[in-house]
């Protein structure tokens, strides 16, 4: 990725029940990233998007590109539900710029708050028979992401003797970071007792191990290093990127017959750079569920296999310590942005824009997305 | 005991039903017949679950249902405390389990573990299949801790 830089980042209004449509969220985020970079629609000739609104106008990159005045474009790519959250459109954009398919590519991720539990239950009651692979899950009351995260959490606990208190330590640490982030949705410090008192969704997974559903639009602008040098903000360079896919698209029946997807991805990433784990000043590790952050800590080599629990319990992932992790508070606290916040926070840290939560002198950061069947990671430098 | 009576109660709410198709109907018919059937390659003898029209190990397209022992190892589990379908509202907590069938390393299936309290579940415990009709025409292959009642011929 020796050609690629991030030149702009931005968010829409973020929160519960914003009343904003997916198209509006996409528009706000795109304009924020353009404003951040100083680039205009005329400067942008590529678009990679991943929207899940159910609305045709915002689900595909063609319609979004037309709506936002980006046409004619050199490159568009639409990423669907079955992909690694924000990582997929981000990597598609970086790869397109690296390959020369386009020079400047907007990346959009819009996600809307999911229906409340009563609505989910009412919808399920009137649903037709379950087709495809899901028919091997639904009759058993399985298939919720919270449940597969719980299955993985239990597996991890059994393998390494990890404790609920250790998972709680990471949740509390991230809340501590959110306290310093005026954009976070949760800014009240959290205690271990409060974590342990939060209800189980699927034991051992607690409510506070889950990211927070909300409406959000996120955007970044990826461009060439030359172009980025002329933009409004200091460029952030893509030092290396990697991805790994290891099996069918399900999270329930991972076989454990080989290395995990984060591990394979991490090994690939470090092979593509002269930098190593000890060079990373702060890490933004996807926390859709706490177990995902724990797996990435080990996969990337920040600690050894099975050591993530003691590592976070000892406070190493807190601001001011050896490896601040999820310095914006993570998706548990800034709301579900499907991984985009980790890229944007890494960028802001390297620009020195993270205010009270700034890691002094941060020069190298990393952001990751997903685990289980697939995983992606990007190493950024200033 | 919640876990043993799981699915045992009649209810006005029907459970989620599989949309049986040409690739999957054998599995559900097998359960109705009291058999655990898994798609198996006739060329290299590998089992493929969930069913696919091709064997990913040798790319043969000659697969057919084969009966397996119904014995396996508990891979991981969770005690589900929130229902995402009304059928399960009165059935929480229930245990979702992934079971590695004994026929092949990595041959996983998702089911429910019954006949054991959540606190008594042990990682890697041996389990065996049982069948429970939860609605007319819908029989689920569930798992319970293995006993010697089948002869201990592991
Ligand atoms: Zn075969």
């Amino acid at each position: 990725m020796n050609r690629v830089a991030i030149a702009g980042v931005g968010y829409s209004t973020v929160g519960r029940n914003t009343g904003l449509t997916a198209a509006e969220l996409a528009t706000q985020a795109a304009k924020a990233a353009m404003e951040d970079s100083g680039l205009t629609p005329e400067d942008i000739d590529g678009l990679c998007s991943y929207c899940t609104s159910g609305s045709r106008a915002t689900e595909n990159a063609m319609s979004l590109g037309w709506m936002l005045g980006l046409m004619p474009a050199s490159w568009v790519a639409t990423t669907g539900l079955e992909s690694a959250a924000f990582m997929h459109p981000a990597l598609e954009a970086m790869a397109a710029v690296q390959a020369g398919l386009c020079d400047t590519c907007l990346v959009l991720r819009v996600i809307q708050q999911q229906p409340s539990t009563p609505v989910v239950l009412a919808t399920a009651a009137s649903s037709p028979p379950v087709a495809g692979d899901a028919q091997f899950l639904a009759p058993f009351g399985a298939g919720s992401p919270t449940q597969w995260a719980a299955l993985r959490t239990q597996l991890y606990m059994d393998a390494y003797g990890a404790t609920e208190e250790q998972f709680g330590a990471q949740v509390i640490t991230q809340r501590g970071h959110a306290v310093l982030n005026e954009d976070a949705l949760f800014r009240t410090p959290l205690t271990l007792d409060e974590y342990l008192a939060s209800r189980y969704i699927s034991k051992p997974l607690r409510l506070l191990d889950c990211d927070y559903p909300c409406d959000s639009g996120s955007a970044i602008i990826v461009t060439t290093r030359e172009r980025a040098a002329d933009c409004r903000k200091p460029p952030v360079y893509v030092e290396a990127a990697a991805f790994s896919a290891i099996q069918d698209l399900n999270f329930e029946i991972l076989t454990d017959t080989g290395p995990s997807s984060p591990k394979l991805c991490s090994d690939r990433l470090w092979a593509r750079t002269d930098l190593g784990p000890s060079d990373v000043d702060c890490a933004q590790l996807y926390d859709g569920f706490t177990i995902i952050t724990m797996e990435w800590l080990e996969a990337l080599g920040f600690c050894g296999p099975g050591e993530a629990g003691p590592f976070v319990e000892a406070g190493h992932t807190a601001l001011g310590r050896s490896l601040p992790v999820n310095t914006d508070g993570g998706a548990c606290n800034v709301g579900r942005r499907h991984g985009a916040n980790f890229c944007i926070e890494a960028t802001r840290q390297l620009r020195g824009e993270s205010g009270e939560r700034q890691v002094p002198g941060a020069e190298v950061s990393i952001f990751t997305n997903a685990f289980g069947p697939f995983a992606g990671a990007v190493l950024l430098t200033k | 005991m919640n876990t043993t009576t799981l699915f045992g109660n009649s209810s006005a709410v029907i459970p989620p039903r599989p949309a049986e198709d040409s690739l999957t109907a054998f599995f559900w018919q097998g359960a109705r017949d009291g058999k655990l059937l898994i798609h198996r390659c006739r060329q290299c003898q590998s089992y493929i679950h969930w069913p696919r029209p091709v064997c990913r190990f040798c790319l043969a397209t000659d697969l057919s249902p084969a009966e397996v022992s119904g014995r396996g190892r508990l891979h991981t589990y969770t005690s589900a405390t929130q229902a995402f379908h009304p059928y399960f509202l009165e059935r929480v907590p229930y245990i979702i389990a992934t079971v590695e069938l004994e026929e092949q390393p990595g041959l996983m299936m998702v089911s429910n573990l019954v006949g054991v309290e959540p606190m008594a579940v042990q990682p890697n415990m041996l389990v065996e299949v049982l069948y429970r009709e939860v609605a007319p025409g819908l029989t689920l292959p569930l798992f319970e801790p293995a006993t010697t009642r089948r002869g201990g011929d592991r």
Side-chain angles (χ1 to χ4, degrees):
Chain A
M1 293 284 182
N2 57 359
R3 293 193 65 204
V4 187
I6 295 173
V9 297
Y11 290 124
S12 69
T13 297
V14 175
R16 292 263 200 178
N17 305 309
T18 60
L20 296 168
T21 64
E24 290 166 335
L25 293 166
T27 301
Q28 287 187 358
K31 290 176 76 171
M34 288 185 218
E35 170 71 19
D36 185 59
S37 64
L39 295 167
T40 66
E42 290 71 37
D43 300 316
I44 298 171
D45 66 338
L47 174 61
C48 296
S49 71
Y50 175 4
C51 301
T52 52
S53 65
S55 157
R56 180 179 165 276
T58 50
E59 265 194 353
N60 78 82
M62 294 293 295
S63 299
L64 279 168
W66 176 249
M67 179 180 83
L68 293 169
L70 305 184
M71 298 296 188
S74 310
W75 173 247
V76 295
T78 301
T79 304
L81 249 186
E82 314 303 332
S83 64
F86 180 74
M87 185 58 72
H88 249 119
L91 286 182
E92 284 169 350
M94 292 170 186
V97 171
Q98 176 73 20
L101 278 172
C102 62
D103 284 330
T104 302
C105 193
L106 178 68
V107 184
L108 277 175
R109 176 71 182 102
V110 170
I111 187 164
Q112 289 184 290
Q113 185 182 332
Q114 284 162 344
S116 63
T117 300
V119 174
V120 169
L121 290 170
T123 305
S126 57
S127 293
V130 181
D133 289 339
Q135 71 184 273
F136 296 104
L137 299 171
F140 304 98
S144 162
T146 54
Q147 293 164 345
W148 55 247
L151 290 167
R152 295 298 293 181
T153 303
Q154 185 66 52
L155 190 68
Y156 181 85
M157 286 179 160
D158 287 339
Y160 298 118
T163 65
E164 297 194 356
E165 287 77 5
Q166 290 170 341
F167 280 76
Q170 181 58 27
V171 173
I172 293 163
T173 294
Q174 290 187 202
R175 178 64 65 84
H177 300 166
V179 168
L180 304 174
N181 179 5
E182 61 188 18
D183 290 335
L185 302 178
F186 293 99
R187 302 193 62 196
T188 308
L190 191 68
T191 67
L192 184 60
D193 285 344
E194 287 168 322
Y195 171 80
L196 293 173
S198 81
R199 68 184 171 91
Y200 288 121
I201 304 294
S202 197
K203 191 180 179 183
L205 183 98
R206 296 179 183 278
L207 181 65
L208 288 175
D209 288 308
C210 306
D211 63 1
Y212 183 67
C214 64
D215 298 335
S216 71
S218 307
I220 67 168
I221 296 173
V222 174
T223 188
T224 60
R225 293 183 176 211
E226 296 74 30
R227 195 70 195 268
D230 297 330
C231 287
R232 184 170 287 157
K233 296 285 179 65
V236 167
Y237 300 114
V238 178
E239 166 70 15
F243 194 82
S244 174
I246 62 168
Q247 67 155 56
D248 206 341
L249 186 64
N250 81 79
F251 293 79
E252 284 82 6
I253 55 175
L254 295 173
T255 59
D256 291 343
T257 51
S260 70
S261 59
K263 182 67 169 71
L264 289 170
C265 175
S266 300
D267 291 350
R268 221 163 265 154
L269 183 82
W270 295 127
R272 293 173 184 172
T273 173
D274 293 332
L275 299 175
S278 62
D279 296 309
V280 176
D281 297 304
C282 60
Q284 318 298 339
L285 310 177
Y286 190 60
D287 70 338
F289 302 106
T290 311
I291 179 65
I292 307 180
T293 307
M294 304 289 258
E295 285 202 14
W296 275 110
L297 281 170
E298 297 176 10
L300 286 163
F302 295 127
C303 59
E307 293 176 358
F311 188 76
V312 303
E313 200 165 37
H316 293 303
T317 57
L319 280 166
R321 299 292 300 274
S322 60
L323 183 75
V325 170
N326 298 344
T327 49
D328 65 345
C332 296
N333 295 303
V334 302
R336 180 181 297 157
R337 309 187 192 194
H338 218 195
N341 61 295
F342 302 103
C343 174
I344 291 176
E345 174 67 2
T347 301
R348 288 179 170 168
Q349 284 283 352
L350 297 180
R351 290 172 172 177
E353 290 182 336
S354 289
E356 281 190 83
R357 63 184 191 281
Q358 179 66 43
V359 175
E363 294 184 346
V364 179
S365 189
I366 191 168
F367 71 93
T368 67
N369 236 164
F371 84 141
F374 49 23
V378 177
L379 189 66
L380 299 176
T381 60
K382 67 182 290 184
Chain B
M1 185 163 94
N2 277 327
T3 49
T4 51
T5 58
L6 175 67
F7 305 124
N9 301 327
S10 64
S11 170
V13 183
I14 61 168
R17 282 183 169 278
E20 300 181 27
D21 60 31
S22 59
L23 200 56
T24 65
F26 76 87
F27 179 89
W28 299 109
Q29 183 59 49
R32 286 189 285 271
D33 295 341
K35 296 176 180 174
L36 188 58
L37 302 181
I38 302 290
H39 227 194
R40 189 178 198 189
C41 174
R42 287 169 174 254
Q43 295 299 317
C44 75
Q45 310 301 318
S46 297
Y47 292 92
I48 304 289
H49 187 70
W50 302 319
R52 292 289 183 264
V54 61
C55 168
R56 72 173 176 276
F57 298 101
C58 75
L59 298 190
T61 53
D62 185 14
L63 294 94
S64 60
E67 186 172 4
V68 295
S69 68
R71 288 187 295 267
R73 173 185 73 86
L74 180 66
H75 176 244
T76 184
Y77 62 98
T78 177
S79 179
T81 45
Q82 178 167 331
F84 295 93
H85 185 287
Y87 176 75
F88 294 98
L89 279 174
E90 293 177 3
R91 291 170 170 83
V92 292
Y94 60 94
I95 301 175
I96 299 169
T98 61
V99 173
E100 184 179 40
L101 299 176
E102 68 176 2
E103 277 76 11
Q104 180 176 301
L107 179 60
M108 299 286 183
M109 64 176 288
V110 176
S111 182
N112 299 119
L113 183 64
V114 300
V116 59
E117 289 289 352
M119 295 302 287
V121 177
Q122 295 293 323
N124 294 312
M125 69 194 299
L126 299 180
V127 296
E128 62 189 8
V129 74
L130 74 156
Y131 301 92
R132 197 163 288 170
E133 185 177 20
V134 296
L138 177 58
T139 298
L140 300 181
L142 308 180
F143 286 82
E144 61 185 349
T147 65
T148 55
R149 67 183 162 82
R150 289 194 181 184
D153 54 348
R154 277 187 77 88

